[in-house]
Amino acid sequence: MTTPAELHALLPLPQEVELLDGSFTIGAQAHIVVPADPVGAGVGDQLVADLQGICAVVLTRGASATPGDIELVGAPERTDLGDEGYQLDVRSGGVRVVARDAHGLWNGTRTLVQLVPRDGSPPTIPAMRIVDMPRFEWRGAMLDVARHFFNVDQVKRFIELIARYKLNRLHLHLTDDQGWRIEVPGWPTLTAVGGDSAVGGDMGGWFSLRDYDEIVMHASRHFVTIVPEVDMPGHTNAALASVPALNPDGVAPPSYHGKNVGFSSLHLDLPATRGFVADVLGTLADHTPGPYLHVGGDEAHATERTQYASFIEYVQQVVTGLGRTMVGWEEIANVPLSERTLVQHWLHPDVAGGSTPGTRLIMSPARHTYLDMRHDEHDLLGRRWAGDIDIDTAYEWDPAALVPGVCDDRIAGVEAPLWTEKVHTFRQVEHLCFPRLLCLAEVGWTNQSLRSFDDARGRLAHQYQRLVASGVNAAKRVG
Ligand code: TNX
């Protein structure tokens, strides 16, 4: 299937598009008519800002739609559109976006913004009807701020970039052996000691709870849910180095600046550990409006098997007690889990697939989604262990064909992680994420039967140009 030229700027590709005769030009007198509720009105404000950034029109808010206007309509009764779906009608007389709720309107306006030309020509959009909704509810990116720290402004910029492509989860890997990046009241050494280190002895950093609140707010304005991760019981040297009482001998180990994994562990049987875990997760729950708390659980090679099982059972109980859904890397599937818990597959399909029946999976297969891998053999930046991941490899996979017996009904969605052992600057973050993170956005949104890499290649090239034009250090893989 080849996308018609009129739709070249769309990524992810919508589920249903019907091109019609005629077109609409955003005129100097156009109004934006928005729903009365504040969240819907916020979507309208962002649309005004986006359109004014693209074309030199001055848009004002209108109370009711007249010919030539752009109207956003909340229609809770449109259950056919699903949770994030929308209908976008472009006619010569105006534009109408209809959705059940503000998130659907957000998605519809993202499509509308993509349709406006950027080549200096008049802001004319071909007439069409789009009816669209995502294949999966979880469409995420992960940023590892523990191995190298990225600050509030950089995380906010990252949120803006992923939200353009209807990604709706930002998983923040906040702690690891090399760094602890979040303030926890009552445990000041976590940030004073653990916040001060990074891979290679590079500069550390951490988020105060006010910083974190600011990130969460910015994310919610872009319909992105923050998923905070505190990795436990392994990957915990930064915590062990900060709090002597978390160590069996009561002696804090030195800070760790290397890249190895699997040598550190929390110990559930020490008197300080349970209180520590409960305080950390309680603090995150207090500052995270979204329903998820990610507890890591990966590569706990220094944790004895039965200890590991007890630990995961304990954190699951704490997270459930906080009214949240636990998320963990696939290793947690070795332990009996609550059906509500989400298991994040990254390496071993049989481990992820062995998870308690009824649990759902987030698909992050390293071979297709690991953004710290090289694009190809000429790439000086990336790592190699999961193979080179160029845009075709990032695009050509089906989440429902990874784990035997696990189809769409057991898949919450997809996520691409950026681990940052070798990533020092935000320019490097951009190089590794773009444009290939867009492939994941389409894997997560567009039905498998509508996707083909041959078709996506041209649309990726188009987005590459747009990313570069907006100052993003995208890797030149296309166009
Ligand atoms: C594996 S993926 C890890 C990370 C590393 C990454 C490097 C996962 C759950 N654990 O700790 O940063 O490989 O590619």
Side-chain angles (χ1 to χ4, degrees):
M1 193 172 326
T2 312
T3 305
E6 292 91 328
L7 306 178
H8 230 64
L10 295 183
L11 204 159
L13 194 65
Q15 309 290 8
E16 272 180 57
V17 186
E18 187 188 351
L19 283 168
L20 304 167
D21 290 336
S23 63
F24 172 75
T25 300
I26 305 175
Q29 309 300 321
H31 300 112
I32 303 236
V33 179
V34 305
D37 71 284
V39 188
V43 173
D45 290 342
Q46 183 67 47
L47 177 63
V48 169
D50 290 335
L51 293 178
Q52 287 183 173
I54 302 167
C55 43
V57 293
V58 179
L59 296 157
T60 49
R61 280 239 212 134
S64 60
T66 54
D69 287 350
I70 298 171
E71 191 184 11
L72 312 184
V73 183
E77 72 281 4
R78 287 290 304 270
T79 48
D80 58 307
L81 293 173
D83 278 343
E84 287 189 61
Y86 65 92
Q87 179 171 324
L88 169 65
D89 284 287
V90 181
R91 301 287 188 282
S92 54
V95 173
R96 218 173 128 91
V97 186
V98 178
R100 280 174 73 192
D101 61 12
H103 199 165
L105 291 176
W106 170 263
N107 289 328
T109 58
R110 296 311 88 198
T111 299
L112 177 60
V113 168
Q114 286 188 339
L115 286 167
V116 181
R118 312 290 159 102
D119 56 4
S121 63
T124 299
I125 305 167
M128 66 180 81
R129 163 168 294 189
I130 294 181
V131 180
D132 197 14
M133 66 192 74
R135 177 180 178 190
F136 296 117
E137 69 184 71
W138 186 296
R139 304 178 307 280
M142 188 208 83
L143 186 61
D144 171 7
V145 294
R147 271 56 176 271
H148 280 101
F149 182 64
F150 296 93
N151 66 30
V152 174
D153 287 342
Q154 292 166 328
V155 174
K156 284 165 78 173
R157 176 71 177 149
F158 194 71
I159 289 166
E160 290 163 16
L161 292 172
I162 67 172
R164 289 185 189 180
Y165 304 99
K166 303 186 178 78
L167 292 175
N168 65 358
R169 302 278 186 271
L170 175 61
H171 168 179
L172 287 175
H173 184 74
L174 290 168
T175 69
D176 212 299
D177 289 316
Q178 300 89 345
W180 185 281
R181 308 297 180 207
I182 185 80
E183 175 187 1
V184 183
W187 302 85
T189 55
L190 280 177
T191 44
V193 177
D196 200 34
S197 56
V199 167
D202 292 337
M203 203 163 83
W206 47 276
F207 300 125
S208 68
L209 288 172
R210 278 181 64 171
D211 292 338
Y212 183 75
D213 292 345
E214 190 178 332
I215 290 170
V216 163
M217 275 291 294
H218 196 70
S220 81
R221 278 191 223 109
H222 292 80
F223 293 84
V224 170
T225 300
I226 296 291
V227 181
E229 178 186 350
V230 171
D231 202 346
M232 300 178 283
H235 291 268
T236 42
N237 192 76
L240 299 172
S242 306
V243 182
L246 295 176
N247 299 273
D249 58 4
V251 179
S255 297
Y256 179 70
H257 303 137
K259 298 195 188 85
N260 293 336
V261 298
F263 60 89
S264 56
S265 183
L266 291 176
H267 303 268
L268 197 60
D269 46 4
L270 291 180
T273 303
R274 286 171 197 255
F276 170 77
V277 169
D279 275 0
V280 169
L281 292 173
T283 300
L284 280 176
D286 283 347
H287 290 263
T288 304
Y292 313 106
L293 293 178
H294 200 306
V295 301
D298 58 314
E299 300 171 318
H301 308 315
T303 315
E304 194 271 319
R305 249 184 117 80
T306 56
Q307 285 286 311
Y308 180 83
S310 312
F311 192 94
I312 296 300
E313 276 166 32
Y314 173 67
V315 287
Q316 184 172 255
Q317 191 189 314
V318 174
V319 171
T320 308
L322 291 164
R324 302 307 162 98
T325 295
M326 182 169 102
V327 189
W329 296 106
E330 69 195 7
E331 286 90 331
I332 66 166
N334 292 316
V335 178
L337 298 171
S338 138
E339 279 191 15
R340 186 171 162 192
T341 294
L342 295 172
V343 174
Q344 188 163 11
H345 164 51
W346 65 283
L347 193 59
H348 295 297
D350 50 328
V351 173
S355 144
T356 308
T359 51
R360 293 193 307 149
L361 273 58
I362 299 162
M363 299 300 193
S364 301
R367 178 74 200 98
H368 298 283
T369 69
Y370 267 33
L371 298 165
D372 57 330
M373 296 301 128
R374 300 191 303 193
H375 291 277
D376 68 12
E377 70 276 17
H378 305 297
D379 198 344
L380 299 175
L381 199 55
R383 309 183 63 160
R384 299 178 189 195
W385 68 261
D388 294 344
I389 304 183
D390 212 336
I391 46 170
D392 52 349
T393 306
Y395 190 89
E396 292 192 283
W397 61 285
D398 178 0
L402 291 175
V403 177
V406 173
C407 303
D408 284 32
D409 61 329
R410 274 199 66 201
I411 300 175
V414 298
E415 183 178 297
L418 179 62
W419 302 101
T420 59
E421 288 96 328
K422 293 183 145 195
V423 185
H424 302 253
T425 67
F426 196 69
R427 298 284 289 167
Q428 293 175 334
V429 170
E430 292 177 345
H431 170 89
L432 288 166
C433 290
F434 299 104
R436 66 184 164 179
L437 182 52
L438 281 56
C439 299
L440 181 101
E442 188 151 304
V443 172
W445 183 279
T446 309
N447 288 347
Q448 192 67 20
S449 61
L450 297 174
R451 298 204 297 114
S452 90
F453 178 65
D454 278 347
D455 174 63
R457 187 197 293 271
R459 290 181 294 109
L460 284 163
H462 197 91
Q463 293 305 327
Y464 168 76
Q465 300 295 347
R466 285 190 177 183
L467 286 163
V468 171
S470 52
V472 177
N473 183 35
K476 190 166 195 316
R477 312 309 306 168
V478 277

